Amino acid sequence: QVQVFQSGAEVKKPGASVKVSCKASGYTFNNFYFQWVRKAPGQGLEWVGIISPGGGTTFYAEKLKGRVSMTSDSSTSTVYMELSTLRSDDTAVYYCARLNIDMVGDVWGQGTTITVSS
Amino acid sequence: EIVLTQSPGTLSLSPGDRATLSCRASQRISSNFLAWFQHKPGQAPRLLIFRASSRPTGIPDRFSGSGSGTDFTLAISRLEPEDFAVYYCQQYGNSPWTFGQGTKLEIK
């Protein structure tokens, strides 16, 4: 069964960094890209970026460039998203999703709540 | 970047009704790479339609997608109680990928 499982909720202070993990299982990790999406309270879904399974290809949302970094560890079938210089408007549920051969998210993680508060 | 505008913002219908949701793009979407997702509170988004009109395995056939270029539609033929949720379109043909702002489908 194809699954992706994300790390747990985090509370961070403004200016800090956070790193969220997303571990895949049930399929050949190296064959599929991942995307990250977030949903802030009262807002819609927002695309954060994508990463290839080997980590060599990344694309990030323009508004987050310079603060977001995505990496991959194929030895553990895990991708990571790190967001630095956190602000209160980064408070959101962050989702990772496997991208199918059509490059659309078909299997999603359960979400990770990141709260930024002083 | 491609801006996706969904309408209506809120749609109030009853179980058994037909729902029609619209997604309009600010420019042509390459290869009709347009997907629809259903999102409920506390759950992960669920892929309903990809490449404008293709349904993944396991998605009921009451969900259908149509359209091309800049205008796309998601139709739900006979609403079930579990269909009331927020629906988003996403284009993945041009970087950066983008989502529409969502349509809330609520029980009338």
Side-chain angles (χ1 to χ4, degrees), chain A residues 35 37 39 43-47 50 59-62 95 99-100 102-106 108-111, chain B residues 1 33 35 37 39-40 42-47 49-51 88 90 92 95-101:
Chain A
Q35 77 173 350
V37 171
K39 188 187 179 309
Q43 304 297 311
L45 298 177
E46 180 182 15
W47 183 75
I50 67 168
F59 291 102
Y60 303 135
E62 192 67 32
Y95 296 98
L99 300 180
N100 66 11
D102 210 61
M103 294 296 277
V104 66
D106 65 341
W108 291 67
Q110 80 278 19
Chain B
E1 86 178 32
F33 280 172
F37 293 89
H39 195 205
K40 297 180 180 179
Q43 297 184 20
R46 177 192 184 198
L47 176 65
I49 299 289
F50 64 98
R51 209 184 279 248
Y88 295 92
Q90 182 196 23
Y92 53 102
S95 184
W97 298 356
T98 48
F99 285 93
Q101 83 280 14

Side-chain angles (χ1 to χ4, degrees), chain A residues 78-89:
Chain A
T78 303
V79 294
Y80 300 89
M81 185 214 60
E82 184 168 19
L83 191 59
S84 62
T85 320
L86 288 167
R87 311 189 302 231
S88 58
D89 62 356

Side-chain angles (χ1 to χ4, degrees), chain A residues 12-27:
Chain A
K12 295 291 185 179
K13 294 192 182 303
S17 297
V18 68
K19 191 170 186 177
V20 182
S21 67
C22 172
K23 183 174 176 61
S25 63
Y27 71 97

Side-chain angles (χ1 to χ4, degrees), chain A residues 30-76:
Chain A
N30 287 336
N31 289 350
F32 298 90
Y33 279 54
F34 284 82
Q35 77 173 350
W36 289 88
V37 171
R38 69 181 184 178
K39 188 187 179 309
Q43 304 297 311
L45 298 177
E46 180 182 15
W47 183 75
V48 175
I50 67 168
I51 182 170
S52 61
T57 299
T58 54
F59 291 102
Y60 303 135
E62 192 67 32
K63 69 180 283 189
L64 295 175
K65 279 183 183 176
R67 293 203 299 130
V68 66
S69 176
M70 296 177 188
T71 55
S72 175
D73 182 351
S74 57
S75 71
T76 59

